[in-house]
């Protein structure tokens, strides 16, 4: 599978690096971070704990800005020509936060849960992974899902990352302190204080008044954050924003087709999303599949109107539910409604309506392997599981078939966006990795306290 | 219908008519008063509405002008006029501006008609508002009514357009306020009145929200649509209860192009008026009922004063007619009725005296008639007696040798005449001491046949035809067959005597009124009315012979049997005797 380079992120990262190079890195300080997620525990496998987990846990491999795999806990790796057998050679000198060395057995134990269906075994200082079928994208899977951990006596998770968990109040606060024995060198920061469960509006205010150094922001707040002299970090477009039909409701595909043809994605992207992310009519983002552009995204209002006119009047009204927790969901839903009106459809928008015909959802890219990602999307969206994809053409055809009855109408792929206070500086690599992981070991603060 | 009833009806009619008339006048006056008051209130409310509308127009125009003249708006206009203008830069600007200027609606529209920012519908960015490009004189135009499309409804708004110009580029500022519940809540309404807003085509709202049931308003709304150049008035019935009626005055709301946007409805409940009218009606009924009761009492009292004496007089007259000539009317009053009663009493007393005198006179006449009859009856046998005795005297004196023969002839004559005298006296005696009838069950028809059989030979000799019409359903009666048969024979004999030249004797029996009637009719010479009146008087007779007691005896027998006998006759047409027996 060929990955598309994410140039904007590279440019942004370069800009950030250039901007930060003027100040000398200094040790010390506590970084204040705010997030919406409120995980109950720092579970490496939990989706909502993902960015926090990346402070504490590490995978065998990581991806650079271009998506190319780089060594992390694995110093090197080999695979057989069929890509069914992989061997990863562990980096020496790595210790868990409890002081115990990183051994293959511990890696095997943590990878077995993350890679179901694969055979993971230890071989001296190596880890061997077997599969029945070829795994050409295993490196991306490991980078995305293969965090290595062990357990302490209390059953808690222990990692090898640049920061160790100092305190955890479920759903409220978490404090991470620098791992002085980190194999990559002690982080510049002494600590990272995370406020969990904060709304976007509150995070933006805290960022503006100096109570937070890093906060999640929505696309609509991009301009505001930039106007106040801050920086914006983003990941690759990881979140699929799509309209999903509720099973058992609105069985006539013509309604969904008319709706799909009426949506003006470009206007929404330009105004509501402030050109962040990408317009997409495909499940897989362009940077992952390389063929997303082949799915037509432009509106065809006249055709939509003709299709809607042929529908019985009672079928021209749809209920659209959105999750207020999804960024700009309400604005997107209301814009979809107004676009649908142009086609002669009536879309009634309401939050968290279980009886709705359609839902506006945000789904994270499940894997960096295109086929696994498509299967993951299909499973998450209640679609038929696609068959094995042996080529891009087959994968494209599978994806096209999944979307042909318009049960899912992809709209955009959005990145994670963070507003960053001016006192935060970064040294390469980029602080927000391709898949949204936090790489804060190279962050430093220009002053200890604002 | 009695006089009392007539008087009562007259009084009742008078009362009812008066009450109805007064009630109608009062109802009409009340209705007019309510209508006047209602018209005044409606006029006041309409004036209030006009004033409020004018005030809001002034406010909106000022606010929108302030926005259009603001530096930030100018900066926005400059910003969006650039060729590389970012449409997202100002997409959220309208909402805080609208809030700051207390406007419900605010849209910022670029010079090509595209919406830059919409406060009321943020998702409409980049949509076209082409209507705003059709005029150049927005800055001098007054605020106007407009239908405002919203996500969930179409509202009625009072909007104003002002233009912020940058070189040849314009930024249209379209601001306004909703004519909604809050607008209606600003009115001070008298009790029983309300203000509604009709937003064409269907929506009707009040100060508390949408009017739930608008079907009764359909005729009013239709009238507004047809005649939207002037006020419309209709009364709407919300339910079958008359008190639910509500009178509406509608002032149409016209848009800038003369199209109907909606209407301001002033509703005035008729409940108070209906309650008043119902109260009046109840009072009417109560007064009418009271009046009728009073009329009944007055009429009873009045008629009692009039009709009682009249009834007493009528009763007295009936008593007199029934034969009680001693009837007196007890009416003591000084008016005409009293005079009438006194006169009546005097009349009955006079009648009584005259009857007594008449009875005495008849008694005297009857005694005279009896004496005459006796004299007549007795004279006939006495004269021969006298001649015979004189013959005896002459024979003894003149012809002693013939005295034995003369003595035998004379004594025979004397004995015959003496027998005749005894017969006459016997009949008189019989009439005087007629015995009571011995009643038994008698078949009247059979009695008739038996009694008349004796006269068959006599009738045949007289040329009289007997015709029996005896009804078969005549029931048996209680009678003395001997006396009744004698009475029948007497009547038959009289009938035969009345037809010396022959004729027809008809004897008829019939059941009548629970009793039986016996008719004996002849075709003889008939009777005059006077003869009919006196026929049953003892010793009265129309014959040259007879004692005149026969019909008196018949009447006595019929009377003893509890019956009645009457006679009908006309001279030359025969005579009919009618005997009714129970």
């Amino acid at each position: 599978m060929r990955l598309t380079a994410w140039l904007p992120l590279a440019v942004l990262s370069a800009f950030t690096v250039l901007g930060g190079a003027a100040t000398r890195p200094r040790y010390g300080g506590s970084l204040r971070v705010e997030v919406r997620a409120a995980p109950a525990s720092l579970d490496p496998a939990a989706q909502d704990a993902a960015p926090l987990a990346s402070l504490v846990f590490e995978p065998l491999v990581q991806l650079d800005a271009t998506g190319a795999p780089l060594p992390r806990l694995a110093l090197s790796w080999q695979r057989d020509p069929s890509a069914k057998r992989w061997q990863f050679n562990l980096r020496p000198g790595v210790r868990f936060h409890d002081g115990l060395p990183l051994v293959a057995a511990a890696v095997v134990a943590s990878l077995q849960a993350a890679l179901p269906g694969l055979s993971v075994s230890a071989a001296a200082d190596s880890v061997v992974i077997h599969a029945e079928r070829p795994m050409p994208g295993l490196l991306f899977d490991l980078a995305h899902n293969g965090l290595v951990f062990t357990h302490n006596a209390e059953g808690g998770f222990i990692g090898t990352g640049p920061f160790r968990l100092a305190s955890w109040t479920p759903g409220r606060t978490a404090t991470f302190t620098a791992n002085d024995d980190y194999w990559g060198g002690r982080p510049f920061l002494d600590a990272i204080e995370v406020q969990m469960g904060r709304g976007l509006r509150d995070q933006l205010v805290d960022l503006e008044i100096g109570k937070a150094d890093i906060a999640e922001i929505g696309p609509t707040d991009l301009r505001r954050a930039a106007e106040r002299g801050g920086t914006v970090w983003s990941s690759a477009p990881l979140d699929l924003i799509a309209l999903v039909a509720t099973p058992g409701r609105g069985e006539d595909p013509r309604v969904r087709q008319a709706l799909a043809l009426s949506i003006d994605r470009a206007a929404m992207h330009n105004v509501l999303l402030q050109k962040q992310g990408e317009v997409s009519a495909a499940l897989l983002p362009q940077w992952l599949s390389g063929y997303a552009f082949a799915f037509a995204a432009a509106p065809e209002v006249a055709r939509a109107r003709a299709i809607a006119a042929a529908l019985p009047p009672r079928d021209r009204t749809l209920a659209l539910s959105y999750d207020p927790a999804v960024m700009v969901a309400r604005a997107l839903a209301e814009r979809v409604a107004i676009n649908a009106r142009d086609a002669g459809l009536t879309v009634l928008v309401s939050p968290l309506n279980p009886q709705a015909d359609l839902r506006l959802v945000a789904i994270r890219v499940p894997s960096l392997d295109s086929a696994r990602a498509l299967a993951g999307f299909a499973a998450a969206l209640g679609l038929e599981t696609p068959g094995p994809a042996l080529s891009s053409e087959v994968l494209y055809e599978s994806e096209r078939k999944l979307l042909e009855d318009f049960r899912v109408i992809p709209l955009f792929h959005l990145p994670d966006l963070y507003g960053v206070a001016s006192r935060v500086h970064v040294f390469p690599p980029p602080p927000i990795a391709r898949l949204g992981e936090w790489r804060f070991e190279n962050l430093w603060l220009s002053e200890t306290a604002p | 219908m009695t006089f009392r009833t007539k008087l009562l009806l007259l009084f009742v009619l008078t009362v009812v008519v008066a009450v109805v008339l007064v009630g109608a006048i009062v109802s009409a006056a009340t209705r007019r008063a309510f209508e006047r008051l209602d018209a005044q209130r409606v006029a006041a409310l309409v004036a209030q509405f006009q004033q409020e509308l004018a005030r809001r127009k002034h406010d909106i125009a000022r606010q929108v002008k302030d926005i259009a003249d603001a530096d930030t708006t100018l900066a926005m206009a400059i910003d969006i006029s650039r060729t590389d203008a970012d449409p997202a830069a100002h997409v959220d600007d309208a909402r805080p501006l609208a809030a700051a200027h207390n406007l419900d609606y605010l849209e910022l529209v670029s010079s090509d008609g595209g919406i830059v920012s919409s406060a009321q519908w943020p998702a409409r960015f980049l949509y076209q508002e082409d209507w705003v490009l059709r005029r150049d004189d927005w800055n001098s135009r007054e605020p106007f009514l407009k239908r405002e499309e919203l996500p969930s409804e179409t509202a009625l708004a009072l909007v104003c357009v002002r233009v912020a110009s940058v070189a040849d580029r314009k930024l249209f500022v379209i601001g306004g306020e909703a004519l909604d519940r809050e607008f209606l809540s600003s009115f001070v309404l008298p009790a029983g009145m309300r203000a509604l807003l009709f937003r064409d085509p269907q929506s009707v709202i009040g100060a508390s929200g949408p009017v739930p049931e608008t079907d009764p308003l359909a005729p009013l709304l239709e009238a507004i649509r047809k005649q939207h150049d002037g006020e419309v008035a209709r009364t709407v019935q919300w339910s079958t209860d008359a008190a639910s009626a509500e009178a509406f005055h509608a002032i149409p709301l016209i848009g800038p192009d003369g199209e109907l946007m909606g209407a301001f409805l002033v509703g005035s409940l008729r409940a108070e008026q209906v309650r008043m009218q119902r109260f009046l009606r109840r009072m009417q009924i109560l007064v009418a009922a009271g009046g009728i009761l009073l009329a009944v009492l007055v009429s009873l009292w009045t008629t009692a004063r009039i009709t009682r004496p009249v009834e007493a007089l009528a009763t007295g007259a009936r008593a007199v007619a029934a034969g009680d000539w001693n009837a007196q009317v007890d009416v003591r009053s000084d008016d005409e009725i009293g005079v009438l009663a006194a006169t009546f009493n005097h009349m009955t007393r006079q009648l009584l005296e005259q009857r007594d005198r008449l009875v005495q006179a008849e008694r005297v006449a009857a005694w005279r008639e009896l004496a005459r009859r006796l004299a007549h009856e007795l004279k006939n046998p006495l004269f021969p007696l006298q001649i015979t005795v004189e013959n005896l005297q002459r024979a003894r004196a003149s012809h002693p040798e013939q005295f034995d023969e003369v003595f035998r002839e004379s004594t025979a004559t004397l004995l015959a005449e003496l027998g005749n005298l005894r017969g006459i006296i016997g009949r008189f005696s019989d009439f005087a001491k007629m015995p009571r009838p011995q009643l038994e069950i008698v078949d009247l028809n059979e009695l008739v046949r038996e009694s008349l059989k004796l006269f068959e030979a006599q009738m045949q000799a007289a040329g009289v035809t007997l015709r029996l019409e005896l009804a078969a359903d005549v029931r048996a009666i209680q009678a003395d067959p001997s006396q009744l048969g004698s009475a029948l024979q007497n009547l038959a004999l009289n009938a035969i005597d009345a037809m010396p030249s022959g004729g027809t004797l008809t004897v008829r029996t019939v059941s009548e009124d629970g009793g039986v009637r016996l008719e004996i009719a002849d075709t003889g010479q008939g009777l005059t009315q006077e003869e009919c009146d006196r026929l049953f008087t003892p010793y009265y007779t129309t014959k040259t012979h007879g004692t005149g007691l026969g019909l008196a005896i018949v009447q006595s027998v019929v009377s003893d049997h509890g019956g009645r006998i009457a006679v009908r006759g006309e001279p030359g047409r025969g005579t009919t005797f009618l005997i009714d027996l129970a």
Side-chain angles (χ1 to χ4, degrees):
Chain A
M1 303 297 163
R2 181 173 61 84
L3 295 175
T4 307
W6 183 244
L7 292 179
L9 180 59
V11 169
L12 181 63
S13 302
F15 176 78
T16 307
V17 169
L18 287 173
T23 309
R24 290 180 57 161
R26 58 182 294 278
Y27 284 88
S30 182
L31 182 73
R32 298 158 305 164
V33 182
E34 293 186 3
V35 294
R36 285 173 297 160
S41 65
L42 191 62
D43 184 346
Q47 181 71 28
D48 60 349
L52 301 178
S54 58
L55 297 173
V56 175
F57 309 100
E58 298 177 284
L60 291 178
V61 298
Q62 65 186 27
L63 303 178
D64 67 8
T66 64
L70 293 175
R72 191 76 184 259
L73 290 181
L75 203 53
S76 61
W77 50 85
Q78 301 85 37
R79 70 166 199 185
D80 66 358
S82 65
K84 291 185 182 179
R85 184 183 184 283
W86 291 74
Q87 179 168 336
F88 296 87
N89 306 310
L90 297 179
R91 184 187 294 276
V94 177
R95 288 186 177 276
F96 286 102
H97 295 152
D98 62 358
L100 295 176
L102 175 70
V103 294
V107 175
V108 167
S110 54
L111 290 185
Q112 270 174 340
L115 301 173
L118 302 183
S119 168
V120 184
S121 60
D125 291 329
S126 301
V127 172
V128 176
I129 301 176
H130 263 294
E132 295 291 325
R133 56 180 179 81
M135 300 175 292
L138 178 62
L139 293 177
F140 307 111
D141 270 346
L142 290 175
H144 188 53
N145 293 325
L147 294 177
V148 175
F149 58 89
T150 187
H151 294 286
N152 59 17
E154 290 80 24
F157 298 94
I158 300 179
T160 60
F163 295 92
R164 62 177 74 209
L165 181 65
S167 68
W168 180 271
T169 304
R172 306 243 340 240
T173 59
T175 304
F176 304 86
T177 55
N179 180 7
D180 294 328
D181 300 322
Y182 183 56
W183 60 266
R186 185 193 184 281
F188 292 106
L189 297 169
D190 288 337
I192 300 174
E193 294 167 7
V194 181
Q195 292 277 338
M196 295 183 280
R198 295 286 288 170
L200 284 179
R201 179 63 52 189
D202 295 331
Q203 289 186 49
L204 185 64
V205 170
D206 288 347
L207 185 67
E208 289 177 351
I209 64 176
K211 277 185 67 178
D213 297 312
I214 296 175
E216 294 171 314
I217 59 173
T220 52
D221 298 322
L222 211 63
R223 183 181 306 278
R224 184 170 161 182
E227 282 172 356
R228 279 157 175 74
T231 313
V232 175
W233 296 342
S234 69
S235 67
L238 296 171
D239 285 331
L240 168 67
I241 307 297
L243 297 174
V244 181
T246 305
R249 301 182 72 88
E251 292 304 320
D252 190 344
R254 294 180 298 167
V255 181
R256 301 189 294 269
Q257 183 183 11
L259 178 65
L261 292 173
S262 71
I263 297 173
D264 183 0
R265 294 173 177 77
M268 288 189 234
H269 184 246
N270 288 341
V271 178
L272 295 178
L273 302 180
Q274 302 205 7
K275 300 179 183 173
Q276 294 299 303
E278 357 175 273
V279 169
S280 180
L283 291 172
L284 299 180
Q286 174 68 23
W287 60 266
L288 184 57
S289 68
Y291 57 68
F293 68 91
F295 290 85
E300 295 177 55
V301 179
R303 194 166 149 226
R305 205 177 286 137
I307 294 171
L311 296 169
R314 66 175 184 278
D315 290 346
R316 296 182 204 159
T317 300
L318 299 166
L320 171 58
S321 173
Y322 66 91
D323 184 356
V326 174
M327 285 187 289
V328 301
R330 179 179 174 179
L332 290 174
E334 289 181 351
R335 186 67 182 192
V336 166
I338 199 169
N339 284 162
R341 220 165 75 124
D342 294 339
L345 300 173
T346 301
V347 174
L348 306 172
V349 176
S350 59
L352 301 173
N353 178 9
Q355 305 297 324
D357 303 299
L358 297 163
R359 294 173 296 130
L360 181 71
V361 300
I363 304 176
R364 198 82 163 173
V365 167
S367 171
L368 287 186
D369 179 88
S370 303
R372 291 167 70 88
L374 185 65
F377 272 132
L381 295 168
L383 301 175
E384 195 180 314
T385 305
L390 304 177
S391 66
S392 296
E393 290 74 18
V394 172
L395 189 66
Y396 167 78
E397 191 56 33
S398 298
E399 185 170 344
R400 192 194 63 75
K401 282 188 91 171
L402 288 176
L403 297 176
E404 67 182 355
D405 70 344
F406 301 98
R407 285 207 165 273
V408 177
I409 303 173
L411 299 176
F412 310 99
H413 289 101
L414 296 183
D416 295 337
L417 293 172
Y418 296 92
V420 184
S422 56
R423 76 180 191 128
V424 178
H425 305 277
V426 66
F427 208 66
I432 306 298
R434 189 176 193 82
L435 300 179
E437 312 97 313
W438 291 351
R439 301 285 165 78
F440 289 178
E441 57 270 24
N442 291 322
L443 290 186
W444 77 90
L445 301 171
S446 59
E447 57 194 34
T448 308
Chain B
M1 191 184 292
T2 65
F3 176 69
R4 178 178 292 177
T5 305
K6 286 181 189 170
L7 200 60
L8 174 64
L9 285 176
L10 183 65
F11 280 174
V12 167
L13 196 64
T14 304
V15 166
V16 168
V17 167
V19 168
V20 167
L21 201 61
V22 168
I25 292 170
V26 170
S27 276
T30 306
R31 188 174 56 250
R32 277 198 294 276
F34 269 102
E35 285 169 0
R36 262 199 307 275
L37 182 63
D38 187 53
Q40 287 170 2
R41 285 176 172 179
V42 167
L45 208 52
V46 168
Q48 202 183 141
F49 167 73
Q50 305 286 12
Q51 281 172 8
E52 180 64 20
L53 209 61
R55 186 190 69 76
R56 288 197 176 217
K57 281 183 179 177
H58 180 261
D59 280 350
I60 290 167
R62 183 167 51 83
Q63 296 292 349
V64 174
K65 184 177 185 305
D66 287 347
I67 295 173
D69 292 343
D71 291 339
T72 50
T73 309
L74 197 61
M76 190 192 310
I78 294 170
D79 196 29
I80 65 172
S81 67
R82 284 200 278 265
T83 50
D84 61 344
D86 180 2
H90 303 284
V91 71
D92 293 324
D93 287 0
R95 188 167 275 185
L97 270 177
H101 289 83
N102 287 324
L103 294 172
D104 297 319
Y105 308 119
L106 181 65
E107 279 183 343
L108 305 170
V109 178
S110 63
S111 55
D112 62 356
I115 297 174
V116 174
S117 180
S118 173
Q120 64 268 24
W121 203 345
R124 284 195 78 214
F125 57 86
L126 299 181
Y127 269 78
Q128 292 295 117
E129 294 275 31
D130 291 333
W131 61 270
V132 81
L133 302 176
R134 294 189 201 123
R135 304 191 80 101
D136 295 326
D137 59 345
W138 288 117
N139 284 344
S140 59
R141 284 186 69 82
E142 289 286 307
F144 54 92
L145 289 168
K146 178 180 174 295
R147 286 197 189 88
E148 194 59 48
E149 297 285 338
L150 298 174
S152 56
E153 61 170 348
T154 301
L156 189 59
L158 194 58
V159 300
C160 180
V161 181
R162 292 291 180 263
V163 184
S165 298
V166 175
D168 60 340
R169 297 298 183 98
K170 294 177 184 174
L171 179 67
F172 296 94
V173 179
I174 307 169
E177 290 181 2
L179 296 186
D180 56 3
R181 291 171 49 182
E182 287 183 29
F183 170 72
L184 294 173
S185 301
S186 67
F187 293 101
V188 176
L189 297 169
M193 296 193 79
R194 60 173 172 166
L196 302 178
L197 195 62
F198 163 55
R199 301 183 293 194
D200 203 29
Q202 284 296 340
S203 163
V204 179
I205 62 168
S208 54
V211 173
E213 183 59 52
T214 57
D215 285 347
L217 290 172
L220 172 67
L221 302 181
E222 194 52 40
I224 293 169
R225 288 192 192 94
K226 280 186 184 158
Q227 183 198 330
H228 60 262
D229 56 349
E231 291 187 15
V232 174
R234 287 281 189 283
T235 299
V236 171
Q237 204 72 36
W238 291 104
S239 71
T240 53
D241 183 5
S244 72
E246 189 171 7
F248 278 98
H249 282 79
I251 293 93
L253 302 173
I254 307 299
D257 298 324
E259 73 279 28
L260 179 72
M261 290 285 172
F264 179 67
L265 308 178
V266 177
S268 178
L269 287 172
R270 285 284 172 262
E272 195 58 39
Q273 183 180 344
V274 168
R275 267 197 293 275
M276 177 62 72
Q277 283 176 330
R278 282 179 179 165
F279 172 76
L280 285 173
R281 205 169 301 127
R282 275 199 300 273
M283 292 312 297
Q284 251 182 295
I285 292 169
L286 281 174
V287 168
I292 289 170
L293 185 64
L294 190 63
V296 168
L297 293 173
V298 168
S299 70
L300 285 174
W301 180 79
T302 306
T303 55
R305 284 180 63 79
I306 298 174
T307 61
R308 197 174 297 128
V310 173
E311 282 179 2
L313 281 165
T315 304
R318 278 196 292 276
V320 168
D324 181 14
W325 290 15
N326 202 21
Q328 291 287 290
V329 176
D330 184 19
V331 174
R332 299 187 199 105
S333 63
D334 299 329
D335 54 18
E336 295 86 341
I337 301 296
V339 170
L340 182 60
T343 306
F344 177 82
N345 290 338
H346 179 69
M347 179 196 73
T348 55
R349 282 195 294 273
Q350 289 290 313
L351 280 174
L352 206 60
E353 287 170 8
Q354 285 180 10
R355 188 188 66 172
D356 288 342
R357 279 199 289 274
L358 187 62
V359 165
Q360 275 187 356
E362 283 188 349
R363 200 171 281 157
V364 168
W367 276 115
R368 283 188 179 154
E369 186 66 20
L370 177 63
R372 190 187 66 80
R373 276 286 175 187
L374 269 175
H376 176 71
E377 292 292 326
L378 289 176
K379 187 172 69 177
N380 288 337
L382 285 176
F383 185 69
L385 282 176
Q386 183 180 351
I387 296 296
T388 302
V389 168
E390 286 176 355
N391 282 341
L392 278 173
Q393 284 177 342
R394 271 196 302 275
R396 178 75 177 145
S398 308
H399 305 287
E401 68 281 1
Q402 292 176 346
F403 182 78
D404 285 340
E405 188 177 347
V406 170
F407 180 79
R408 278 199 297 276
E409 289 175 3
S410 297
T411 52
T413 301
L414 283 172
L415 286 173
E417 292 302 327
L418 282 170
N420 198 13
L421 274 172
R422 273 202 299 278
I424 291 169
I425 291 166
R427 280 198 295 277
F428 284 140
S429 175
D430 286 344
F431 177 68
K433 52 176 177 87
M434 273 189 69
R436 304 295 300 168
Q438 300 296 313
L439 299 177
E440 59 187 68
I441 304 292
V442 172
D443 181 350
L444 184 61
N445 291 346
E446 189 57 35
L447 183 64
V448 166
R449 289 191 198 97
E450 290 295 324
S451 299
L452 294 180
K453 199 181 286 186
L454 298 171
F455 295 96
E456 283 179 358
Q458 189 172 346
M459 282 189 281
Q460 192 173 9
V464 173
T465 305
L466 175 64
R467 196 162 76 187
L468 293 178
E469 294 175 2
L470 306 179
D473 61 344
V474 168
R475 62 176 177 82
I477 58 172
Q478 289 279 333
D480 185 333
S482 171
Q483 289 188 15
L484 194 60
S486 297
L488 186 59
Q489 288 168 359
N490 198 317
L491 291 173
L493 210 56
N494 284 345
I496 295 168
D497 287 344
M499 296 179 285
S501 305
T504 304
L505 171 63
T506 305
V507 180
R508 190 180 294 118
T509 62
V510 63
S511 292
E512 193 164 290
D513 294 336
V516 297
R517 173 170 278 194
L518 175 61
E519 292 180 9
I520 299 100
D522 63 60
T523 58
Q525 58 204 25
L527 293 171
T528 65
Q529 184 60 42
E530 184 188 355
E531 288 169 344
C532 288
D533 294 341
R534 299 182 66 185
L535 202 61
F536 295 101
T537 303
Y539 312 114
Y540 177 81
T541 180
T542 57
K543 301 177 190 173
T544 54
H545 62 279
T547 61
L549 292 177
L551 288 178
I553 293 173
V554 169
Q555 187 185 47
S556 177
V557 167
V558 171
S559 176
D560 286 345
H561 280 76
R564 277 188 318 168
I565 184 168
V567 63
R568 276 201 308 261
E570 280 186 45
R573 285 177 174 253
T575 305
T576 301
F577 286 89
L578 306 156
I579 298 174
D580 293 318
L581 297 169

